[in-house]
Amino acid sequence: GILVAPFASTPAKAVVFGEEVPEASATAPWVASIWYTKNISQAPEFICTGSLIRADIVITAAHCTFDRGFYWVKLGADTLEGDEPFLEVSGTWKDTRYSKKTTTNDLGLLKLTRPVMDVRPVALPTSDQIARVSKLTKFKMFGWGIDQNQEPAKFLRTANLDLQDAAAK
């Protein structure tokens, strides 16, 4: 595990704990597990979580998009290692203002080769909803990342977040 000194003032670069999402395939089918390999002959490995925002677009973090390699996405899964089919990704994009050093503008997109017809994309907020975001607004996030014990999560997890700064909008 990682030992953190109690006086360390650096913020966590991850969300830990949270809770398992029961029946994720029904309650959050738009949550995507993103799989990658540098070489097409190798088995894909899970690298990140994303969300289906259009029938052929998955939003994720820019640090999950690489200049070379092959990507696939799985949707509608209860577990990370479920037998859902791999959906092929035809292209990636990352915010041109993304900074690896400061992790600002950490926004990436994956374009699926074919639109998904059996999973409804998550609804993005309207400009009116965004305008109503305040310090009291709570956000819910989902992911299959590494848990608090540095182990990959088998089941989809969720956590509630508070609005921490204007950039979170």
Side-chain angles (χ1 to χ4, degrees):
I2 296 175
L3 180 62
V4 178
F7 51 82
S9 62
T10 7
K13 298 226 187 265
V15 176
V16 292
F17 297 100
E19 57 194 38
E20 288 180 1
V21 177
E23 298 179 22
S25 58
T27 58
W30 40 264
V31 175
S33 59
I34 300 169
W35 301 73
Y36 171 83
T37 184
K38 281 185 183 175
N39 186 321
I40 194 72
S41 64
Q42 296 171 324
E45 292 183 26
F46 168 74
I47 58 163
C48 286
T49 304
S51 296
L52 186 71
I53 59 169
R54 200 174 81 180
D56 61 344
I57 301 287
V58 171
I59 191 169
T60 188
H63 71 261
C64 297
T65 61
F66 309 112
D67 295 332
R68 293 194 172 95
F70 302 90
Y71 289 87
W72 293 268
V73 165
K74 286 186 179 186
L75 293 164
D78 285 320
T79 65
L80 188 59
E81 298 293 340
D83 58 3
E84 290 73 25
F86 281 113
L87 306 174
E88 188 178 80
V89 172
S90 62
T92 64
W93 172 89
K94 71 175 79 166
D95 191 314
T96 54
R97 299 166 302 157
Y98 168 62
S99 165
K100 198 181 270 189
K101 191 180 208 178
T102 63
T103 65
T104 53
N105 303 305
D106 195 7
L107 178 68
L109 299 174
L110 304 177
K111 173 96 166 70
L112 301 179
T113 302
R114 283 182 292 288
V116 177
M117 299 301 176
D118 57 343
V119 176
R120 191 169 158 184
V122 66
L124 294 176
T126 64
S127 52
D128 284 348
Q129 289 169 324
I130 292 170
R132 288 196 301 268
V133 169
S134 75
K135 292 203 181 298
L136 300 177
T137 304
K138 301 276 187 204
F139 296 92
K140 185 175 277 268
M141 70 178 310
F142 296 86
W144 269 290
I146 304 297
D147 70 12
Q148 62 273 12
N149 301 317
Q150 301 302 305
E151 299 289 330
K154 179 180 178 181
F155 296 97
L156 183 64
R157 298 183 70 79
T158 187
N160 291 318
L161 298 175
D162 297 323
L163 178 63
Q164 296 182 18
D165 60 34
K169 274 186 167 181

